[in-house]
Amino acid sequence: MDKDFFEQVYQVVRLIPKGKVTSYGAIAAYLSAKRSSRVVGYAMNAAHTVKPRIPAHRVVNRVGLLTGKHHFETPFAMQAALEKEGIKVEDDQIVNFDKHFWDPSVNLKL
DNA sequence: CGATTGACGTACG
DNA sequence: TCGTACGCCAATC
């Protein structure tokens, strides 16, 4: 099994603290593949096929937009999950996204 | 095997 | 400042 890019992505997503969110580009950049941001999103697409469940609801695009909410079991699942963690979501967009933003590299540096 | 799409991001006009 | 175009990697048609 070639724990490829996908495994790495899942690993990072699982490391996202509760009440925090990150972006595809951040994960891609952390994996030194910022140019493959799309692949990160694709990995998330298959995230539901991996175990344990991947908190994909904590992963959004760089503007904090819940672009992938439509891929959840229900479009509300993502927003509900975020709000449940204390993150406000308005118009499918995370409020104070920059404030809730979490970078994988931060976890390492610290 | 070639073309298109996608949960993105950056560059250019 | 806003809108459009392109690139990047992988999977699907």
Side-chain angles (χ1 to χ4, degrees):
Chain A
M1 23 210 267
D2 332 72
K3 307 168 131 258
D4 288 36
F5 201 72
F6 284 48
E7 267 286 323
Q8 299 288 357
V9 173
Y10 304 143
Q11 196 87 37
V12 175
V13 175
R14 282 189 221 135
L15 291 173
I16 301 175
K18 187 178 175 186
K20 295 277 184 169
V21 290
T22 188
S23 61
Y24 305 94
I27 298 172
Y30 169 69
L31 299 176
S32 305
K34 57 187 177 187
R35 290 168 289 218
S36 307
S37 47
R38 306 185 84 141
V39 185
V40 177
Y42 205 93
M44 299 264 84
N45 189 358
H48 80 103
T49 65
V50 217
K51 42 182 178 114
R53 276 229 289 136
I54 310 287
H57 61 268
R58 292 181 187 156
V59 185
V60 294
N61 64 354
R62 79 163 188 95
V63 294
L65 194 69
L66 281 55
T67 50
K69 69 164 192 172
H70 205 63
H71 286 251
F72 279 75
E73 303 179 42
T74 58
F76 286 97
M78 190 170 188
Q79 182 170 339
L82 291 171
E83 289 185 332
K84 188 177 178 184
E85 297 189 353
I87 299 174
K88 288 184 180 176
V89 179
E90 190 174 297
D91 190 33
D92 299 338
Q93 188 173 315
I94 296 175
V95 182
N96 300 326
F97 173 64
D98 185 43
K99 192 165 153 176
H100 294 296
F101 183 75
W102 175 86
D103 201 314
S105 59
V106 176
N107 192 28
L108 298 180
K109 283 178 66 175
L110 199 66

